[in-house]
Each structure stands twice: as structure tokens, then as C-alpha cells.
Amino acid sequence: MNTQNIIGYSLVPPTGKSFKAMSPASNTELEGDFSAATAADADAAMQLADKAFAVYRHTDAKTKAAFLRSIAEGITALGDELLNRCAAETGLPIPRLTGERGRTTGQLNMYANLLEEGSWVDAVVDTAIPDRTPLPRVDIRKMLVPIGPAVVFGASNFPMAFSVAGGDTVSALAAGCPVVVKAHPAHPGASALVAEVIMQAAKKHNLPDGVFSHLFDDGYTVGETLVKHPKTKIVTFTGSLKGGMALVKMARERDEPIPVFAEMGSINPVILLPQALQNRAEELAKTYGESITMSAGQFCTNPGLLLAVKSEGLDRFKAALGSAIVNVNSATMLTAGICSNYQKLSKERMGSDEVVVIGKSEKLNTESANQALAVVSEIAASDFLADEKFKEEVFGPYSMLVVADDVAQLETVIGSLQGQLTATIMAEREELAMYETMIDKLSAIAGRVILNGPPTGVEVGNAMQHGGPFPATSDSRFTSVGTGAIKRFVRPVAWQNWDNALLPDALKDENPLGIWRLFNNEWSK
Amino acid sequence: MNTQNIIGYSLVPPTGKSFKAMSPASNTELEGDFSAATAADADAAMQLADKAFAVYRHTDAKTKAAFLRSIAEGITALGDELLNRCAAETGLPIPRLTGERGRTTGQLNMYANLLEEGSWVDAVVDTAIPDRTPLPRVDIRKMLVPIGPAVVFGASNFPMAFSVAGGDTVSALAAGCPVVVKAHPAHPGASALVAEVIMQAAKKHNLPDGVFSHLFDDGYTVGETLVKHPKTKIVTFTGSLKGGMALVKMARERDEPIPVFAEMGSINPVILLPQALQNRAEELAKTYGESITMSAGQFCTNPGLLLAVKSEGLDRFKAALGSAIVNVNSATMLTAGICSNYQKLSKERMGSDEVVVIGKSEKLNTESANQALAVVSEIAASDFLADEKFKEEVFGPYSMLVVADDVAQLETVIGSLQGQLTATIMAEREELAMYETMIDKLSAIAGRVILNGPPTGVEVGNAMQHGGPFPATSDSRFTSVGTGAIKRFVRPVAWQNWDNALLPDALKDENPLGIWRLFNNEWSK
């Protein structure tokens, strides 16, 4: 395993500072000395990315698609070495990581398909109308083009799907933007393995030196240098509100402010409607017991908040969920820091006078370190409304049930919530019509509205929206999952009165790419 | 003429402070006492806009379209009263204002058509695949929805097309966002006339109280209160870099940061290629003499920078342009402040040792105040590169010709430029192929790339891109002109596993709106 920083096609000779990966399950060091990059390395990576951009922005769709497919193949070819390293570094179980690997290679292939099909560039053609009055119309044609070098921060909770070759990297590369990844220090080994794959794939397809770089740092210097670098044109991040907002602030204070797409998590409210509780309290308890505790609750879409009006059905739900949680095995959290933060916050929350614990896992695995025990607690809606702290995310397998006296109070609670990635309603189909206002309020605060299913499990496709109003993300107009994620990295450019032969292929009269275009106000191909 | 502030359907009784419109042509006060709004008025307008949003976000496309058409009709019905008031307040000539009125009503009708057609919501449907392995695919459907109340700042240079019922307001209203306009204090009368039209149109179509409000202020209090207001979800602005960045900063420092689309102008470089100069120096001089001086150079797309390699053709161009400029009549600028700023900056520029004046208008209209005399000056590329100040916009009929020793130096100059709304090449078609790198550099810094035509004159249509990399705008990913402008005001929302009957019409199985959708990865209707 190469543990050096990668700048384009060069491995950077290690300088003084290095760090090791930690196993969260054992609190021991894992093999490999990773070199922390310097500010000079970060500068070199961005300068090279900028040079590469001049070429890569014109690289044809087929080559880019082949590049992405090669990365997917390379990741698969790493086999157990990658899965085992991910497991060692994150504490996540192999079946979950196998699924995540499939998602990661699936994303790469999905983007390859998108490029090969080609219509994603949103080509719009308005041909000239020389005899229009009072003024002739001139020929104008518009399409999306890449905005420039992107800096991608690896996320702690998805060592593959939101890291080195994750959704941000793949959508940036597909758009035509070179990428400099700042690896997450919690899984440097997994990052290094994948970075090597990307470098080799870029070489294989003769892409310009600098189309991809990969830098380590267990501190903040490299990230800060990258975000502030004049050649950086966009930044993506998945993580905490604090971390995301620090980057947003840095990016905004530059001489040239740049966009940051930060996905900063959410408490993902789930509304349990009365009829559903009445009819299937036990089934709902089972579904939510699993969703809350999946991967130790370390999903952005973990349902941290359950909302319901008090009822007999709700009492049965509570009882069933309480018993289910008791028997949920503890799980290793991603890092010692995340675990101690979870212990602290969940204890604080449970220690609040207003909070009653419905159920708490009793299955502590004493053989492993950094274990999270799942908790479901309860709070009265009036108490929840009285203190903002209850609306903050507790990252981990913690969920809180807010009990309202009536529907009006439940709607008040919903109205008090901030922006969310997801909002869910568990309902019998026949009772939905009675809750139109409530459903409307949910769609006003969330990026994705789910009926009768857990919010965890994010489908990667055309229709996915993984984003939402602040503070779920820094810009609700974009998504970080699915084909829509490419839109973060592009801007429209219009060509006016241009020679057909010199236009980009997507805009030529004869439509040589055979893509869908809005041509004189009609969609055609 | 109503000179009061409008909050929804209420006229606000005048409080103490009032101000008058000034005629820039005569430096005298015009009739009408306009009441400056208070911070409390701004708060009331935003609170009401938020309430209106709960209804207006669901208002059907037909009703919104009819609303926009009624506004267009109302503006036309104002007839000469509006044109004359605009002329008195801005000093712009009636023919130019007549054209601008046509553009304004054209924009309103274009958006009505867009709404009636309906496909702009970018509906994407991925239906369920229950037997997919390893995991079933759940039904997900996505479309664009409005993000919330918008604050629109009227611009000084387009009293209709970028003001109360201008491109920002119409695209926000079309999206489903209530609008609070902060009128530009340089044309309060024109603003008041149009605001009244919008209020009446909203009433006519029974839209919720607060879908539109209109506030005056000759200071900064109202604008600041609006941008900082928690109910404001997006801000648009057209004006100076300083003004735009002040709003961006305010919006970013809120507890909930919100997007600001600020169009902050640009120097719009024009490259004159050698063969074109050789063949038609005099014709080019005529075209540019007119483009530079149109509306006293007070367009965002005014070509402030001409670039060429020295040649005999260029000498002829200079001579012809110099003589043409001498005979250009002076013109009244929009405000005394804009005029004195122009006088100061153009004098400073002309007083620089590096700058030679090629031509300066000698036709001063002594009967009117605030006259701008057109100037074309020249600077050597090496001097231009040595001092950043030469890259700053001089708002008005000022243009600078940068003369390079050779093509390499010309490319260096282009490489040194910041983001631009437009970049233009004047060329013989046969010489274009020799300048591929240069053309590529231009498209990398601009939102619109023009061949053989002036950048002034912005077509309002599907293919227009009026935007560009910073500092031309605050976000190059959006446009403020054309149908694309609606994208600033919307965000995607996905519905997962939802009941067909309860889905928005755009996402229903049977496609009742008959719109284009990406349905299971195929475009269909």
C-alpha cells in the first residue's frame, strides 16, 4: 500500500510529519505511516489541477466514461484488501462495506452511462430569426461546462461511497473538473488504496497530469490551504455542521468567493400517524428499531426524531420499540472521537429532566472498544419546543420520540424544525388525506419526503435528492447523491452568432452527439 | 400616482421621512413625495410574504401565468405615463425606454408561456423495481419547488426590465416565490406605477395577500432589514461590485445563510483579430463606437475593453474610432452620483501616464445636466498587465484599447482577466481556427461568448446566459436573464414511495400536465 501523498502522477517523498490509522474496535494503531501533506503540497496539487483543467475540460465524454469505468473496475479488483482495511479503520461490518462498495462502483458506472448518453449538458439552441421585428434574433446556444478544479473532503462515515472515489469525486470528474481529495484521517489506508486506483486509471486513459491528487492530513492545514487556494473553484464536504460551516466561511471570505456544497446532516423527522400506530405499532417499532441502529446510527439520514400524538397505539409502539432496543447489539463507532462525543451527548440528553428513556440497549460488546449503545427516549412536545438543544443532532444510534397532545401541537413541532435531508410519514393510506397541511409542512423543510419507509438507504439514481434547506446543507438547490450531483460543478455558457464548425459538438446544428436538446423551444433529439 | 409603500394589499400610511425623485437632466426635484419604509415595514412585508408562500407555492401554473400576463397588460396600459416618468427619472431617451418596456412585457409573457408548457420543473421519475437485487428499488420522483420569499433589489440602469416587474421579479413569481421589491431610489415614480400594476394583478387573480410587496428607501435600512430577515430565502441584485458584495456578506453572516444572486457587472473584453482589422477596420470602428456609447455606456454588457495586436489595420481602426467618438453626442447619465463617479474615474484613467486618449466626444449638450462624454483610450498591454486598476469597470461610455505586441502577449492579457458576463471576438471566419487557444481562454472566463457582434443587446430567451464567473456575478452557475433565471428560486424535492393520488401533478403516473419528464431514464411526454 502506497502511503504517500499523490500529486497528479507523482508520489510525494515523505516529509517529517506522519500519522497512523487507528482501529476503533481495538484503539490500536494499524499498519502504515501516512505522510501529512504540507501547505506547499496543497499548492502544488491545485496548480497542477488548474493546468490539467485546461485540457480535461475538453476531454470527450467517451474518454471520461471509460476513466470512470476503469476506476470502478480497479476498486472491485482490490477485493478483500479494501474491504478489510475499511473494516479495520472504521469498525463497520463487512456486509455493510460490501454494500457500500457496490454503491461506489455503481455510482461510477452510472456516471459513465450519463456521459455516454450525453443529454445532461442541458443544451439549448435558439437559432437566428433575421426578419424578427422590431429587432432580429441572433443565434444563441447554451450548454453546461465545468467550473474548474474541485476540492473534495472525504467523509468519515462512508469510507468508499463518500470518500476518495465517492459521489463528490465522481460527479466532479464526470463534469470535467479535476479533483483534489483531502482524505479523511480516520481511514487513510482505504483512501490510499482507492487513490492509487484513480491515479492508475487516469494514466491508462492518458488524462492530463493533475486531473486527480490525493492529500493526507490529520490536522487542518491542508484543508484550509486547499479551500483558500485561488485555483480552487468549488468545494464539497459531508460531515458536521461545525466543520461544514467553517469551510463555507473560509470560502466566502476569499477574494474570489467560491461555492461550497456542504452536507451537514439532519435529524430526519419521522411522523407516526394514529391509524398506522393503531394498526401496526409492533411492525413500525421493528422497522424503526432497525433503521435507528443501522451502522450505529452513523448515517446522514438516521431518523433521530420520531413524532406522534399520544394514543393507545403509540403506547404499544413505545413498548415494542423499548423492548427491541434492549436487545440491539452495541456497535463500534467510526472513531474514538465520534464515540466519546456520542457518549457525552446521549448522556446529557438522557440526563435532562424533560427526557424519559424508553429503551436502551443492554447488549454491550465488551471485547471491542468505542461501542455505542442504542437509545430511544421520549419528550413531551411542549418541552421539546421550549429548548432548541433538543433539535440538535446526536450523531449515533440515538432517537427521540416527541409526544404531542394533539395534531395541532404536532404541527407546531414540525413548524419549529430546521431544514432536513429527509422527512418521513408512517401512515395508513386512507388517513393521509386528513393530514394534507402536515405533509405540506414537511415537504417545505425537507429535500426528500418518504411515505412508509425508513429514510436510511439512499437510492443512487436520477430522481434522488440528497440535500435540503439549511442547516441540512449549505445550498438546498443542489444534491450530493444521484445524477443531479453533477450540477454542482458546472455553469452555463452561451455561444452567440458562432460558427457551426467551431461550436462544441453538443451545440452543432446536426447534433452529432444525438442528445436531447431544447431546440427553438421544442425538445428534440 | 401612489407614492406609498405597498405591503401585500395594504398601502402603508406615510411616516415622517420622505424623499423626492431627481431629474438627472435638470438636477431638479420631480413631483411626488415617496415615503421611505421603516424596518418595521420591511419586517411586516417579509412576515406576510412568508404567510403568502404557504399558499402561493401551490398556486397552479395557469393562474400564475395569467397573473404574469395581467402584469404585462397593466404595464402596457400605463402608456406614456410610465415612459415619461422613466425618462424624467433616468435621463434615458424614449426610444430606448420603449424598447425596454417591450422587453419587460416580453419577459412576463415568456414566463407565462413557460409555466403553461410546464416542463421547466425538471420532473424525474424512477419507478419501483421490487425484484431488483441485491436490494429492491423504491419509487422516487423529483421535481423543482420554490424555495421561499425572495427579496429583489431594483437596478438603476433598467427602470423596467431590471426593476419592479423585471427579470428577477418575474422569474421569482413564476417559480412560486413571493417577492418583496426594494425599489431603486433613482426611479421611485416608475417603480410606484409598476408596483401598483402588480398589486392589482395579484388581486385580480385572488392571489394571497403578501405575494408582492414594494418598499421605498433612499438609504440602506430597508435593504439591510430585508436581507437579514429570517423569512427571506433568496436575494437578487444587479449593480456594482461593492453593493453586491455588501449584500452577499450580509446574507452569509445570517444564522441561516441564504443565496444571493448578484450581477455585478463586467468590462466585457472584445478581441479584434488581425484579419478582421485588416479587412474592415472602419466598419468595426462604427459598430464599437455605437456599442460603447449606447445608453451612455450604462449597460452591464458595455464593452469597456478592446484588445488587439498592433498592426496597420489596428491603426486605421483607432483613427476611425477616434473620429467617430468625437462626434458622439454627450448623454445624460442615470443619476448625479453615477455621473460624478464617471467624471472622476474617467479623468483619473485618462490622467494616467500609461494611457493615451484616442478619441473623446466634443459634443457636450450644455442644456442638460449630468452629461457623460464618451472616451476611447489606449494602453500598451505591458502597462495594462502591470496595474490591476486598469481592469476595473468605469461605468459609463468609457472604453480602453489594450495594444499587444504579439498574440502571445494578447493571450497573457486575456489570462489575466477576471470573470466576465461576456467576451467577444471580431474575426474573419477563416482566421478563427488559428486562435483556438485564445477562444478557449475566453470561454473559460465568460458566461457568453460572442462572434462578430457587440455584447450589448441581451436576447431574452431559453439559450441566454447572463451571468459569469466572479466578479461578474456571485454565482456563475445561474443566469439573471432568460428562462434559465427561474432556476435561482427553486430546489429539488424528491417524493419516495408516495401515493400517486397525493403526488404533485407533475409527478403523477398519468402525467396529467403533459410535460416532458425523465421517466425511468428516458425522456418522454
Side-chain angles (χ1 to χ4, degrees):
Chain A
M1 180 173 58
N2 158 49
T3 59
Q4 289 170 255
N5 293 289
I6 296 174
I7 298 180
Y9 294 135
S10 308
L11 299 183
V12 182
T15 49
K17 197 182 159 198
S18 75
F19 68 99
K20 293 229 171 216
M22 294 294 293
S23 157
S26 63
N27 273 341
T28 56
E29 290 183 342
L30 294 165
E31 62 163 331
D33 289 305
F34 297 92
S35 314
T38 61
D41 295 333
D43 174 60
M46 290 317 309
Q47 296 290 356
L48 201 62
D50 181 60
K51 282 209 187 83
F53 181 54
V55 177
Y56 190 61
R57 61 194 282 263
H58 296 297
T59 297
D60 64 285
K62 271 193 183 166
T63 305
K64 285 191 292 184
F67 173 37
L68 299 183
R69 289 195 200 283
S70 292
I71 298 171
E73 285 160 17
I75 288 171
T76 306
L78 286 172
D80 288 346
E81 184 185 5
L82 177 60
L83 294 181
N84 292 336
R85 182 76 196 192
C86 282
E89 291 184 330
T90 64
L92 293 169
I94 292 288
R96 142 74 204 261
L97 290 167
T98 307
E100 186 183 331
R101 182 179 63 182
R103 173 173 168 179
T104 307
T105 55
Q107 275 176 173
L108 285 153
N109 290 322
M110 176 188 76
Y111 267 103
N113 292 339
L114 188 81
L115 292 173
E116 285 161 352
E117 194 281 329
S119 304
W120 73 272
V121 298
D122 283 355
V124 181
V125 177
D126 286 337
T127 57
I129 308 179
D131 56 356
R132 188 183 65 173
T133 55
L135 289 171
R137 184 170 88 174
V138 68
D139 186 294
I140 309 185
R141 299 167 189 235
K142 179 167 77 164
M143 66 179 285
L144 298 173
V145 304
I147 61 173
V151 167
V152 169
F153 283 80
S156 66
N157 60 344
F158 281 85
M160 290 173 281
F162 277 104
S163 279
V164 183
D168 291 342
T169 298
V170 61
S171 50
L173 290 175
C177 297
V179 170
V180 177
V181 170
K182 155 70 178 66
H184 198 284
H187 49 260
S191 299
L193 289 167
V194 175
E196 176 85 20
V197 163
I198 301 179
M199 182 177 74
Q200 295 303 342
K203 269 190 190 164
K204 179 178 168 188
H205 296 284
N206 296 310
L207 296 176
D209 190 11
V211 73
F212 175 76
S213 292
H214 186 250
L215 303 177
F216 293 112
D217 188 9
D218 59 346
Y220 298 104
T221 314
V222 167
E224 197 172 324
T225 307
L226 291 173
V227 174
K228 291 182 174 172
H229 199 282
K231 299 299 188 191
T232 303
K233 298 301 173 196
I234 179 164
V235 175
T236 63
F237 169 86
T238 299
S240 68
L241 181 61
K242 198 179 147 200
M245 288 312 291
L247 298 181
V248 166
K249 190 163 182 293
M250 262 180 234
R252 291 293 158 192
E253 287 171 356
R254 293 163 46 117
D255 285 345
E256 178 195 349
I258 55 170
V260 174
F261 187 84
E263 193 267 81
M264 302 178 288
S266 141
I267 50 175
N268 301 297
V270 175
I271 321 296
L272 306 157
L273 290 187
Q275 200 62 50
L277 284 169
Q278 180 63 33
N279 294 1
R280 46 188 173 105
E282 292 74 15
E283 180 203 323
L284 291 174
K286 186 167 180 296
T287 304
Y288 276 86
E290 283 166 9
S291 177
I292 294 160
T293 56
M294 198 184 282
S295 295
Q298 299 167 122
F299 281 123
C300 319
T301 51
N302 189 54
L305 198 68
L306 304 172
L307 307 169
V309 175
K310 58 186 176 191
S311 71
E312 180 271 333
L314 181 62
D315 291 340
R316 281 191 286 123
F317 172 81
K318 276 157 53 175
L321 186 57
S323 339
I325 291 291
V326 171
N327 293 310
V328 169
N329 290 322
S330 71
T332 310
M333 294 198 84
L334 293 160
T335 69
I338 287 173
C339 189
S340 69
N341 196 48
Y342 174 69
Q343 307 294 8
K344 181 172 161 279
L345 290 181
S346 61
K347 257 186 210 129
E348 268 176 26
R349 196 62 69 87
M350 287 187 280
S352 302
D353 289 344
E354 303 91 332
V355 171
V356 177
V357 175
I358 296 174
K360 186 169 188 304
S361 159
E362 290 171 3
K363 298 276 174 103
L364 179 66
N365 177 349
T366 52
E367 317 228 314
S368 289
N370 297 310
Q371 295 298 295
L373 289 166
V375 179
V376 178
S377 61
E378 179 184 345
I379 188 170
S382 52
D383 290 332
F384 180 79
L385 287 165
D387 194 337
E388 285 297 312
K389 77 173 175 218
F390 296 121
K391 291 173 192 158
E392 284 161 22
E393 184 178 7
V394 177
F395 190 75
Y398 186 95
S399 201
M400 190 153 65
L401 172 66
V402 177
V403 180
D405 293 330
D406 50 33
V407 173
Q409 196 183 36
L410 185 56
E411 286 196 12
T412 307
V413 171
I414 294 170
S416 79
L417 297 176
Q418 292 182 297
Q420 304 288 335
L421 291 171
T422 69
T424 303
I425 297 183
M426 302 304 285
E428 298 299 311
R429 304 248 158 181
E430 60 272 19
E431 69 185 319
L432 277 174
M434 290 157 54
Y435 295 92
E436 224 177 303
T437 321
M438 184 187 293
I439 296 168
D440 193 44
K441 282 193 174 169
L442 283 176
S443 76
I445 60 166
R448 181 162 55 110
V449 193
I450 300 145
L451 180 62
N452 287 332
T456 42
V458 179
E459 179 70 33
V460 180
N462 295 321
M464 178 46 63
Q465 174 61 14
H466 190 69
F470 184 87
T473 73
S474 55
D475 194 337
S476 68
R477 295 173 299 181
F478 297 93
T479 176
S480 57
V481 174
T483 49
I486 200 171
K487 296 290 168 73
R488 298 173 295 171
F489 302 98
V490 289
R491 66 183 178 94
V493 168
W495 278 261
Q496 180 170 318
N497 189 38
W498 211 257
D499 249 30
N500 190 58
L502 296 171
L503 280 168
D505 283 349
L507 299 179
K508 287 190 165 98
D509 286 337
E510 64 274 23
N511 193 11
L513 303 178
I515 59 175
W516 283 97
R517 311 192 294 184
L518 187 60
F519 193 97
N520 287 334
N521 211 31
E522 297 285 341
W523 285 99
S524 62
K525 195 167 161 169
Chain B
M1 180 171 61
N2 159 47
T3 58
Q4 288 170 256
N5 293 289
I6 295 174
I7 298 179
Y9 294 134
S10 308
L11 299 182
V12 183
T15 49
K17 196 180 159 199
S18 76
F19 68 97
K20 293 230 170 216
M22 295 293 294
S23 157
S26 64
N27 272 341
T28 57
E29 290 183 343
L30 294 165
E31 61 162 333
D33 289 305
F34 297 91
S35 315
T38 62
D41 295 333
D43 174 59
M46 291 317 309
Q47 295 290 354
L48 200 61
D50 180 60
K51 281 208 187 85
F53 181 55
V55 177
Y56 190 61
R57 61 193 283 260
H58 296 297
T59 297
D60 64 286
K62 271 193 182 164
T63 305
K64 285 192 291 184
F67 173 38
L68 300 183
R69 291 196 200 281
S70 292
I71 298 172
E73 286 160 17
I75 288 172
T76 305
L78 286 171
D80 288 345
E81 185 185 4
L82 177 60
L83 294 180
N84 292 335
R85 182 76 196 193
C86 282
E89 291 184 331
T90 64
L92 293 168
I94 292 287
R96 144 72 204 262
L97 290 167
T98 308
E100 187 183 331
R101 182 181 61 183
R103 173 173 167 180
T104 307
T105 55
Q107 275 175 174
L108 285 153
N109 290 322
M110 175 187 78
Y111 266 103
N113 292 338
L114 187 82
L115 291 173
E116 284 162 353
E117 196 281 326
S119 304
W120 73 272
V121 297
D122 283 356
V124 181
V125 177
D126 286 336
T127 57
I129 307 178
D131 56 355
R132 189 184 65 173
T133 54
L135 289 172
R137 184 170 89 173
V138 68
D139 185 296
I140 310 186
R141 299 166 189 233
K142 178 166 76 163
M143 66 178 285
L144 298 173
V145 304
I147 60 174
V151 167
V152 169
F153 283 80
S156 66
N157 60 345
F158 281 85
M160 291 174 280
F162 276 105
S163 279
V164 183
D168 291 341
T169 299
V170 61
S171 50
L173 289 175
C177 297
V179 171
V180 177
V181 170
K182 155 70 178 65
H184 197 285
H187 50 260
S191 299
L193 289 167
V194 174
E196 176 86 18
V197 163
I198 301 179
M199 182 177 72
Q200 295 303 340
K203 268 190 191 165
K204 180 178 168 188
H205 296 284
N206 296 311
L207 296 175
D209 190 11
V211 73
F212 174 76
S213 292
H214 185 250
L215 302 177
F216 294 113
D217 189 9
D218 59 346
Y220 298 103
T221 314
V222 167
E224 198 173 320
T225 307
L226 292 172
V227 173
K228 292 182 174 172
H229 199 282
K231 299 299 187 190
T232 304
K233 298 301 172 194
I234 179 163
V235 175
T236 64
F237 169 87
T238 299
S240 68
L241 180 61
K242 198 180 147 200
M245 289 311 291
L247 297 182
V248 167
K249 191 165 181 291
M250 262 180 238
R252 291 295 157 194
E253 287 171 358
R254 293 164 45 119
D255 286 344
E256 178 196 350
I258 55 171
V260 174
F261 186 84
E263 192 268 79
M264 302 179 287
S266 134
I267 51 174
N268 302 296
V270 175
I271 321 296
L272 305 157
L273 290 187
Q275 201 61 49
L277 284 168
Q278 180 64 32
N279 294 0
R280 46 188 173 105
E282 292 74 16
E283 180 203 323
L284 291 174
K286 186 167 179 297
T287 303
Y288 276 86
E290 284 167 9
S291 177
I292 294 161
T293 57
M294 199 184 283
S295 295
Q298 300 168 121
F299 282 123
C300 318
T301 52
N302 189 53
L305 198 68
L306 305 171
L307 307 169
V309 175
K310 58 186 175 189
S311 72
E312 179 271 334
L314 181 62
D315 291 340
R316 282 189 288 120
F317 172 81
K318 275 157 53 174
L321 186 58
S323 339
I325 290 292
V326 171
N327 292 309
V328 169
N329 290 321
S330 71
T332 309
M333 295 198 84
L334 293 159
T335 69
I338 287 173
C339 189
S340 70
N341 197 47
Y342 174 68
Q343 308 293 9
K344 180 171 162 277
L345 290 181
S346 61
K347 257 186 208 127
E348 269 176 28
R349 197 62 70 86
M350 287 187 282
S352 301
D353 290 343
E354 302 91 333
V355 172
V356 177
V357 175
I358 296 174
K360 186 170 187 305
S361 160
E362 291 170 3
K363 298 278 172 100
L364 179 64
N365 176 351
T366 53
E367 316 227 315
S368 288
N370 297 311
Q371 295 298 295
L373 289 165
V375 179
V376 179
S377 62
E378 179 183 345
I379 187 170
S382 52
D383 290 332
F384 179 81
L385 289 166
D387 194 335
E388 284 297 314
K389 76 174 176 217
F390 296 120
K391 290 172 194 159
E392 284 162 22
E393 184 180 8
V394 177
F395 189 74
Y398 186 98
S399 200
M400 190 153 67
L401 171 67
V402 177
V403 180
D405 293 330
D406 50 34
V407 172
Q409 197 183 33
L410 185 56
E411 286 197 12
T412 306
V413 170
I414 294 171
S416 79
L417 297 177
Q418 290 182 296
Q420 304 289 336
L421 292 171
T422 70
T424 303
I425 297 184
M426 303 303 285
E428 298 299 311
R429 303 251 157 179
E430 61 271 19
E431 71 185 317
L432 277 173
M434 290 157 54
Y435 296 92
E436 224 177 305
T437 321
M438 184 186 294
I439 296 169
D440 192 45
K441 282 193 174 168
L442 283 177
S443 75
I445 60 165
R448 180 162 55 109
V449 193
I450 300 147
L451 180 63
N452 287 332
T456 42
V458 179
E459 179 70 33
V460 180
N462 294 323
M464 178 47 65
Q465 174 61 14
H466 190 67
F470 185 87
T473 73
S474 54
D475 194 337
S476 68
R477 296 174 297 180
F478 297 92
T479 176
S480 57
V481 174
T483 49
I486 199 170
K487 296 290 168 73
R488 298 174 294 171
F489 301 98
V490 288
R491 65 183 179 93
V493 168
W495 278 262
Q496 180 171 320
N497 189 37
W498 211 256
D499 248 30
N500 189 58
L502 296 171
L503 281 168
D505 284 350
L507 299 179
K508 287 190 164 97
D509 286 338
E510 64 274 23
N511 193 13
L513 303 177
I515 59 174
W516 284 97
R517 310 193 293 186
L518 188 61
F519 194 97
N520 288 335
N521 211 31
E522 297 285 340
W523 285 99
S524 63
K525 193 168 162 167

